Amino acid sequence: MSWYYTPKPTVFPAEDFNPSADAAALRKAMKGFGTDEQAIIDILCARCNWQRQAISEAFKNELGRDLIKDLKSELGGKFEDVILGLMLPPVNYLCKHLHKAMDGIGTNERALIEILCSQNNEQMHHISRVYEELYNRPLAEHVCTETSGDFRRLLTLIITGTRDPPGTVDPDLAVEQAKQMYEAGEGKWGTDESVFTKIMAHSSFDQLEYVFEEYKKLTGRTIEQALKAEVSGDLYNALSAIVECVQMAPHFFAKRLFEAMDGLGTDDTTLIRIIVSRSEIDLQNIKDEFEQMYNKTLMSAVKSETSGDYKKALCALIGDA
């Protein structure tokens, strides 16, 4: 099936890892007048998350200091955003971005879609649990207050974790689901969005792969063509994101990175979030996909859109290979 790819990260656990030595080196880089930003990049961008947590522990236990506080006081701007993002456990990092997307006036629907629509059930349960611990309110309830209509229904179904576990496949049911989608959309006047929403939020990604194939057999059209014709706005963006993540998650993230850097100005928040959150999952796949899709490397695109230590940190995470 096309959804299956071997995730290749760009950041790996450092060999001969010594958290005490790293903690001491970081302290030295921040002590006294001026900061050695390069030393901070060399250490933190070349360790995996559990190693960074161990360094943080050593920093506290052996030097009696709070590494996050020290980094905050020494760094600034987008460079600080990258480094502090690396220091958070991965799920906490995504929770922070979900909260940021809904906090204050207005909602960043694109960030909600990117984070929520790309998760499987187990990941979603974990995010929901941590979100409630961190912000003292259920994620589903927060999303409900910030969204509306079928879009809200879809996200709520995803968050409440009713998706079948990975590997759950029923080819006969896929034929039936494809037919239901056709009858709810192209096969009738008007669209019954709830049918699309239910199938896309409940079925495992493996099952959806079958559903999309059956849809094409049945109608001669791809599921993307059907969605374009039948739904619009945030619901369309969310359902399309699910389709892309089912077919090839790196393709989805490569496209998001390109959009973050395309045109005037750069969406740094998205750029940082994807590079930091995917660096230990599949950033190598995303790089390969990016180059294939846009005929330039992710590294060269990032270099032309960023500068200074911020650029160096992102490039260190992207890696040369």
Side-chain angles (χ1 to χ4, degrees):
M1 305 296 282
S2 66
W3 59 267
Y4 187 75
Y5 68 101
T6 305
K8 295 176 186 155
T10 55
V11 172
F12 300 89
E15 290 173 27
D16 305 324
F17 173 58
N18 181 339
S20 304
D22 283 348
L26 284 169
R27 176 74 184 118
K28 188 177 166 215
M30 294 186 278
K31 202 174 173 182
F33 188 69
T35 307
D36 182 352
E37 287 87 359
Q38 191 58 52
I40 294 171
I41 293 169
D42 290 344
I43 296 169
L44 296 179
C45 294
R47 306 288 182 272
C48 67
N49 197 274
W50 70 260
Q51 291 178 329
R52 293 183 209 118
Q53 304 306 329
I55 294 168
S56 202
E57 278 296 295
F59 207 81
K60 189 168 87 197
N61 297 337
E62 294 164 30
L63 306 170
R65 299 181 69 87
D66 183 326
L67 178 54
I68 305 283
K69 266 192 187 147
D70 279 10
L71 288 166
K72 269 186 182 163
S73 71
E74 294 293 327
L75 312 178
K78 299 177 189 78
F79 176 49
E80 180 185 336
D81 294 341
V82 177
I83 298 298
L84 292 182
L86 291 172
M87 293 308 301
L88 281 175
V91 170
N92 297 48
Y93 182 66
L94 291 179
C95 288
K96 184 184 165 191
H97 276 266
L98 285 169
H99 189 260
K100 190 176 168 185
M102 297 185 282
D103 202 28
I105 307 256
T107 306
N108 183 345
E109 287 85 5
R110 285 175 68 83
L112 292 182
I113 290 168
E114 177 206 305
I115 297 169
L116 298 175
C117 293
S118 59
Q119 310 296 330
N120 69 31
N121 215 19
E122 200 182 321
Q123 294 162 329
M124 199 59 253
H125 277 302
H126 194 182
I127 288 170
S128 292
R129 201 169 59 244
V130 172
Y131 193 91
E132 192 161 353
E133 281 166 20
L134 289 174
Y135 299 107
N136 213 7
R137 72 186 289 192
L139 175 59
E141 182 258 321
H142 197 175
V143 167
C144 271
T145 62
E146 297 293 326
T147 54
S148 60
D150 292 297
F151 178 56
R152 168 163 70 191
R153 201 167 298 124
L154 175 70
L155 294 189
T156 309
L157 283 173
I158 290 171
I159 292 163
T160 48
T162 47
R163 196 182 288 290
D164 292 329
T168 313
V169 166
D170 180 341
D172 295 338
L173 178 62
V175 175
E176 183 52 41
Q177 288 172 316
K179 205 164 133 225
Q180 285 171 7
M181 281 167 123
Y182 173 72
E183 285 165 2
E186 296 184 279
K188 72 191 268 286
W189 182 255
T191 308
D192 182 354
E193 284 92 352
S194 68
V195 174
F196 286 87
T197 301
K198 210 167 111 197
I199 293 170
M200 298 274 242
H202 284 300
S203 308
S204 69
F205 281 9
D206 312 63
Q207 175 73 6
L208 287 173
E209 180 78 11
Y210 278 97
V211 175
F212 301 159
E213 279 179 21
E214 292 301 335
Y215 193 92
K216 189 148 192 232
K217 280 185 208 164
L218 176 71
T219 66
R221 283 158 72 87
T222 65
I223 190 71
E224 292 93 329
Q225 288 169 321
L227 289 175
K228 215 167 198 137
E230 296 300 324
V231 292
S232 60
D234 290 327
L235 180 64
Y236 169 73
N237 292 335
L239 292 174
S240 294
I242 293 172
V243 171
E244 286 184 49
C245 287
V246 165
Q247 293 174 339
M248 185 66 163
H251 180 96
F252 170 70
F253 287 109
K255 193 168 137 197
R256 291 281 286 132
L257 284 168
F258 179 79
E259 288 165 357
M261 296 183 278
D262 195 30
L264 271 178
T266 305
D267 176 356
D268 293 289
T269 307
T270 299
L271 189 62
I272 294 168
R273 180 175 59 243
I274 295 176
I275 290 174
V276 168
S277 68
R278 306 307 292 191
S279 61
E280 289 181 57
I281 304 172
D282 57 0
L283 189 53
Q284 184 62 49
N285 308 76
I286 295 167
K287 277 162 63 176
D288 297 343
E289 198 66 22
F290 189 95
E291 192 167 355
Q292 220 173 340
M293 288 163 73
Y294 303 109
N295 215 4
K296 59 179 168 187
T297 64
L298 177 58
M299 181 78 98
S300 66
V302 166
K303 275 183 174 166
S304 66
E305 292 290 325
T306 57
S307 62
D309 295 314
Y310 170 43
K311 171 165 86 174
K312 286 181 197 163
L314 288 183
C315 289
L317 294 171
I318 292 167
D320 296 328

